[in-house]
Amino acid sequence: MPERTDFPALIAGHTSVIKMINSGESGLAVLTRLLSEVEPAIGAAGLVFVEFAPTGGRVIAATGSADFVTGRPLPATHPATVCLLSGPPVREVGVDAIPGAIADELTARGLRRMILARAEIGGLTVGSLHAFYPGDEPLDASQRAVVGYVAACIAHMYGDQTGLPVHGDGPVVAALADGLAVVDRDHHVRLWNPAAAQVTGRPAAEALCRPLPFPLPPSGQVLDHRLPDGRWLRITSGELPGPGTLRVVTFRDITDQQRRDHDRDLFVAVTSHELRTPVTVIKGYADTLTDHWVSLSDDDRRQAARIIGQRANELARLVDRLLTAATENRPGGEPAAPFDLGDALRAAVPDLPADVRHRIVLDLPADLPKALGDRHSLATVLTELSTNAGKYSLPDTPIEVCAEANERTVSFRVADRGIGIRPEHVERAFDRFWQGESGDRRRYPGAGLGLYLVRQIVEQQNGWVSLRPRAGGGTVAEVRLPRG
């Protein structure tokens, strides 16, 4: 580890990131590249960026020895979250200063010291950057300065809102109180309340005496308008009483409502699309059996019955997914209890779909410690992850399932050699109904619910799940649960 920052390497790495941005790349891919370039330049063993939203934080990017925490949630009330959001914006502390079990996990990997820098926009914390080091000695001032600088660069990326925040409920787009403006006959702003500045991002000094920055609906009517940054406003206007020609305009951020309406419409569309295929096949074979029973051979009848059974099982799984996604409740609901993860994985394999089951390659250590969670739900998790791996890889390639443990967690990975996943999609893939492709010509069918359900199930057991590209091609899905 260098005693001081390697500034030539830092500048070269930062230049490569700027070239990525100038070529049109954005979001998580750029953020991950930035961390990977900064880590060696400041001699860190690992870098982590936590994105914060009103409901808490989540690790969305990590490198080096700290990459195992990728995807880990930090609830808003968690002591570690409170610690990260308080104190000076840039500081150096021992890892043991972080409350909770995560400090023990980091220490167990030899990470003992940390530089923390918050990424802030207008007083709002959008995330925190952490550089971890193995030694106990104080770090060089240049290293602290660089971490603070990089956090400011990341905050600027959030300010641009190009691919960030990763999660739609981030503080940059959080719902705010109603804005209010008064405009004259030329639609120039004469009054601009603080909420208007918050909703639009325009302070009063930039709004007053200038044209209204969005369309003005006719008096007494309502207009839903989409801003350039993707947010939606609901705008109303009315005439002010008196001799003048002033109009009062009120507006609010309805992005969340638009998203819910979109999810509802998408739920109906996905349901009808995904139910149609198995229902059509079942009906076709049932009609064949009914209309041609006598002319069919015994083998033909058994084949038709077998296909009806397979499609009925697919239909049942799809209905379970849709109902679970609609209610946001995980299956089972049993209290967390210690269970043998290896035994549970082996027991779940025979129940996998036939086209996936024969491709599974298990590599489970005999001395794997027990995990703490809901054993019953593990079958659902493995089914979704392995089905997803099978869908995006060639039919004859293996789907590898392996497991390991450390001092705090027990984990298993499902890896394929398929088309892989783009870095900017590793978090979006867990969104409900999200698909890497859209339209009627999608090469890979599905409702976009499997990974969403996996994250819901795992996180309700105090675990976390992440995706990452696999070296040499393919995707790795990793699930971590507390030790039992």
Side-chain angles (χ1 to χ4, degrees):
M1 181 184 76
E3 294 182 359
R4 295 178 179 272
T5 301
D6 184 348
F7 284 104
L10 179 67
I11 293 171
H14 203 173
T15 301
S16 68
V17 173
I18 293 174
K19 288 181 178 178
M20 285 182 66
I21 296 173
N22 291 340
S23 67
E25 295 191 60
S26 62
L28 194 57
V30 174
L31 175 58
T32 303
R33 175 68 175 273
L34 177 61
L35 299 192
S36 65
E37 295 288 351
V38 170
E39 177 195 308
I42 62 173
L47 262 68
V48 167
F49 185 76
V50 181
E51 181 181 272
F52 286 111
T55 54
R58 183 182 299 280
V59 177
I60 63 169
T63 65
S65 299
D67 66 353
F68 73 100
V69 297
T70 301
R72 183 162 188 158
L74 290 173
T77 56
H78 194 283
T81 306
V82 177
C83 174
L84 299 179
L85 293 176
S86 59
V90 181
R91 64 188 191 272
E92 177 185 338
V93 297
V95 169
D96 56 5
I98 305 175
I102 189 171
D104 295 334
E105 297 177 47
L106 293 167
T107 303
R109 291 175 178 257
L111 305 177
R112 300 183 177 278
R113 202 141 191 88
M114 172 182 70
I115 298 175
L116 157 67
R118 290 197 297 274
E120 298 178 339
I121 303 175
L124 290 174
T125 298
V126 296
S128 61
L129 178 63
H130 310 261
F132 293 98
Y133 295 85
D136 293 317
E137 302 81 10
L139 301 167
D140 184 76
S142 67
Q143 294 164 314
R144 293 191 295 274
V146 169
V147 174
Y149 165 74
V150 174
C153 291
I154 295 173
H156 180 73
M157 292 167 61
Y158 275 81
D160 289 343
Q161 294 186 10
T162 307
L164 294 171
V166 171
H167 298 283
D169 60 348
V172 175
V173 294
L176 299 169
D178 287 6
L180 182 143
V182 174
V183 299
D184 59 23
R185 68 172 66 189
D186 296 321
H187 297 178
H188 283 66
V189 176
R190 298 302 181 189
L191 183 146
W192 194 253
N193 77 336
Q198 288 183 300
V199 172
T200 63
R202 290 190 175 207
E206 296 180 8
L208 292 173
C209 301
R210 291 186 172 94
L212 195 67
F214 44 74
L216 182 66
S219 181
Q221 296 187 22
V222 178
L223 171 68
D224 290 346
H225 172 70
R226 189 173 188 178
L227 297 173
D229 63 9
R231 292 180 298 133
W232 284 86
L233 296 183
R234 176 154 293 168
I235 309 164
T236 60
S237 74
E239 302 287 345
L240 278 177
T245 56
L246 300 178
R247 295 172 67 179
V248 62
V249 184
T250 58
F251 46 95
R252 65 174 59 185
D253 190 324
I254 60 166
T255 305
D256 288 343
Q257 179 181 333
Q258 287 281 345
R259 188 180 297 113
R260 287 192 295 270
D261 291 345
H262 173 73
D263 282 353
R264 181 198 60 208
D265 295 341
L266 194 56
F267 180 86
V268 173
V270 167
T271 301
S272 61
H273 179 273
E274 295 300 323
L275 292 178
R276 188 179 298 118
T277 297
V279 168
T280 300
V281 173
I282 291 172
K283 184 178 185 304
Y285 276 95
D287 289 345
T288 298
L289 289 175
T290 301
D291 298 338
H292 305 286
W293 180 270
V294 176
S295 61
L296 293 174
S297 67
D298 288 343
D299 288 342
D300 291 336
R301 294 170 188 162
R302 278 192 290 269
Q303 176 66 7
R306 188 159 42 247
I307 294 175
I308 289 174
Q310 290 174 351
R311 293 295 185 166
N313 287 336
E314 293 175 9
L315 191 59
R317 283 196 299 271
L318 178 58
V319 170
D320 286 342
R321 282 168 154 188
L322 293 170
L323 292 176
T324 304
T327 60
E328 298 196 6
N329 291 322
R330 70 176 172 90
E334 297 296 327
F339 69 95
D340 188 324
L341 178 65
D343 183 62
L345 291 170
R346 282 186 285 268
V349 170
D351 294 328
L352 294 175
D355 59 334
V356 173
R357 184 172 62 243
H358 78 276
R359 298 170 57 186
I360 296 292
V361 178
L362 292 176
D363 181 13
L364 307 176
D367 57 348
L368 194 67
K370 290 188 176 182
L372 183 64
D374 177 12
R375 175 182 174 128
H376 173 75
S377 68
L378 193 70
T380 301
V381 172
L382 181 62
T383 297
E384 298 300 343
L385 294 181
S386 58
T387 301
N388 197 66
K391 182 167 64 173
Y392 293 104
S393 58
L394 294 175
D396 296 328
T397 56
I399 299 172
E400 301 161 23
V401 180
C402 62
E404 64 180 15
N406 59 30
E407 291 77 4
R408 291 286 175 179
T409 63
V410 183
S411 64
F412 71 93
R413 294 187 294 274
V414 178
D416 63 67
R417 288 291 185 186
I419 63 172
I421 185 167
R422 294 164 61 180
E424 62 267 30
H425 290 168
V426 295
E427 277 295 320
R428 292 198 65 196
F430 291 101
D431 290 347
R432 181 165 54 175
F433 301 127
W434 186 83
Q435 293 278 5
E437 299 176 308
S438 59
D440 295 334
R441 297 184 178 182
R442 288 193 287 118
R443 291 171 294 170
Y444 306 103
L449 290 171
L451 292 177
Y452 168 82
L453 294 181
V454 167
R455 175 161 275 181
Q456 297 296 309
I457 292 170
V458 172
E459 291 191 355
Q460 290 186 32
Q461 299 177 61
N462 296 315
W464 71 95
V465 58
S466 63
L467 290 178
R468 63 177 180 270
R470 183 178 186 178
T475 304
V476 178
E478 183 171 21
V479 173
R480 286 185 176 269
L481 295 172
R483 284 184 64 146

